[in-house]
Amino acid sequence: MEDRDYLQFIHKVRDYTSIDLSQYKEAQMKRRLTTLRTKKGYSTFAAFFEAMTKDKELFYEFLDRMTINVSEFWRNPNRWEVLERRFLPEMLQRSKRLKCWSAACSTGEEPYTLAMILAEHGALASSTLIASDIDEGALEKAKRAVYSDRSIRDVPALYLNKYYRQDNLTYSIVDSLKPHIRFQKQNLLTDPFESGFDLIVCRNVMIYFTEEAKHLLYGKFAQALKPGGILFVGSTEQIFSPGQYGLEPADTFFYRKQEA
Ligand SMILES: C[S@@+](CC[C@H](N)C(=O)[O-])C[C@H]1O[C@@H](n2cnc3c(N)ncnc32)[C@H](O)[C@@H]1O
């Protein structure tokens, strides 16, 4: 009975939003949504869904709960160092006009990290940088680009001095970086991808997806990369048998699309 209620909720949410909750690990997702539903005083998912369709605030709370937006600048700093010291110079030797994508960028910490690194290497203005997420609220925050001190703790001093403005307890990204990032709403599981990327950064979202959804996504990412292009994943997200997607390990949490 309880399971049917949740399964029907999944179907209704899919029709209403095109978000397919069945592609996320069920136990985790169900636990998070049950906590919210109970907190809001609904005894069934059917009643919760009805309320959500009438109350925008509740709908946004649901979105917030299902999308976990936690992020940080330079998350896992030694991996960004590998990107900056090893892969970026390699890419820039081939071309100054890079096409990069921060997929599931949340509130913007990741694409701004990438923008700063590209800027330091003189490649931001000539490159294309796309940043996407399913959550419009997160994208709005990303565009505002105002952060607390918690998210800047791993930012190297050089970057902190050059690309942030501190106002009391907040840190804002300098305006010069913003026009170089194209923020857009996108559902990785259902929307089509652009192609020809030199670099795709997709970190800390794959962990929420089922094995089937991950498999689909790795295939789509591999298709979207140029031969020789790099996929940078999160620090708990190594790909098993990357060869099946035409990818090869290039460093820990980095994969390279095989040359044809
Ligand atoms: C934990 S954050 C990761 C942020 C950043 N990539 C990082 O590693 O710091 C996960 C993000 O994935 C987004 N997300 C979840 N499902 C998605 C989907 N199907 N398509 C696109 N983004 C999704 C969420 O909205 C959230 O902003």
Side-chain angles (χ1 to χ4, degrees):
M1 170 66 195
E2 200 188 293
D3 269 0
R4 217 176 70 210
D5 184 39
Y6 184 66
L7 283 180
Q8 283 174 347
F9 178 75
I10 289 182
H11 285 135
K12 288 182 209 160
V13 168
R14 190 166 50 208
D15 291 345
Y16 190 64
T17 65
S18 92
I19 294 171
D20 186 356
L21 294 173
S22 70
Q23 290 182 295
Y24 293 75
K25 286 180 189 151
E26 181 173 321
Q28 272 180 11
M29 182 61 80
K30 195 171 168 187
R31 194 175 338 108
R32 284 210 302 278
L33 295 179
T34 304
T35 310
L36 176 66
R37 191 203 75 197
T38 318
K39 187 177 134 204
K40 293 289 164 187
Y42 299 97
S43 56
T44 62
F45 276 107
F48 183 56
F49 180 80
E50 273 307 303
M52 236 168 64
T53 57
K54 293 185 188 115
D55 176 352
K56 257 202 157 134
E57 283 308 309
L58 187 61
F59 175 65
Y60 288 131
E61 275 194 66
F62 153 75
L63 269 186
D64 235 27
R65 190 59 63 103
M66 68 143 291
T67 58
I68 304 180
N69 295 129
V70 186
S71 192
E72 272 175 51
F73 295 95
W74 269 267
R75 191 172 190 175
N76 312 112
N78 64 352
R79 296 297 89 203
W80 286 96
E81 222 171 274
V82 171
L83 177 71
E84 178 164 14
R85 301 231 171 114
R86 177 173 169 198
F87 293 114
L88 195 61
E90 263 177 38
M91 287 175 200
L92 290 174
Q93 271 198 339
R94 292 190 186 192
S95 165
K96 283 264 178 216
R97 302 165 68 84
L98 301 180
K99 186 169 178 184
C100 308
W101 176 22
S102 164
C105 69
S106 187
T107 40
E109 292 86 337
E110 185 177 277
Y112 286 121
T113 301
L114 189 53
M116 289 179 226
I117 292 174
L118 288 169
E120 263 327 279
H121 288 257
L124 182 62
S126 53
S127 297
T128 302
L129 175 47
I130 299 170
S132 67
D133 200 278
I134 197 174
D135 182 349
E136 281 173 285
L139 291 170
E140 283 313 309
K141 286 189 194 153
K143 288 181 205 161
R144 243 176 284 137
V146 180
Y147 299 94
S148 73
D149 52 359
R150 212 179 141 262
S151 59
I152 54 112
R153 61 185 173 186
D154 284 324
V155 178
L158 174 139
Y159 286 95
L160 195 59
N161 295 331
K162 201 161 167 185
Y163 296 105
Y164 294 80
R165 222 182 30 241
Q166 187 182 0
D167 306 301
N168 296 320
L169 292 177
T170 62
Y171 292 79
S172 310
I173 300 289
V174 293
D175 286 338
S176 59
L177 291 181
K178 296 182 189 169
H180 298 290
I181 305 179
R182 196 207 313 159
F183 286 103
Q184 62 190 42
K185 184 180 173 192
Q186 183 186 40
N187 183 342
L188 292 173
L189 298 172
T190 53
D191 291 331
F193 292 179
E194 286 188 31
S195 58
F197 288 101
D198 296 279
L199 172 67
I200 299 176
V201 184
C202 184
R203 311 182 69 218
N204 305 302
V205 64
M206 239 84 84
I207 34 164
Y208 301 116
F209 295 149
T210 61
E211 290 307 313
E212 292 82 353
K214 278 189 223 175
H215 179 66
L216 171 102
L217 211 46
Y218 292 139
K220 281 173 83 179
F221 281 140
Q223 282 281 318
L225 284 169
K226 275 183 186 162
I230 293 288
L231 173 64
F232 177 16
V233 301
S235 293
T236 53
E237 299 177 320
Q238 64 266 56
I239 305 176
F240 296 105
S241 315
Q244 64 183 306
Y245 308 108
L247 298 169
E248 60 194 16
D251 202 314
T252 316
F253 307 119
F254 290 91
Y255 298 87
R256 192 192 304 278
K257 179 166 175 175
Q258 289 156 357
E259 305 276 354

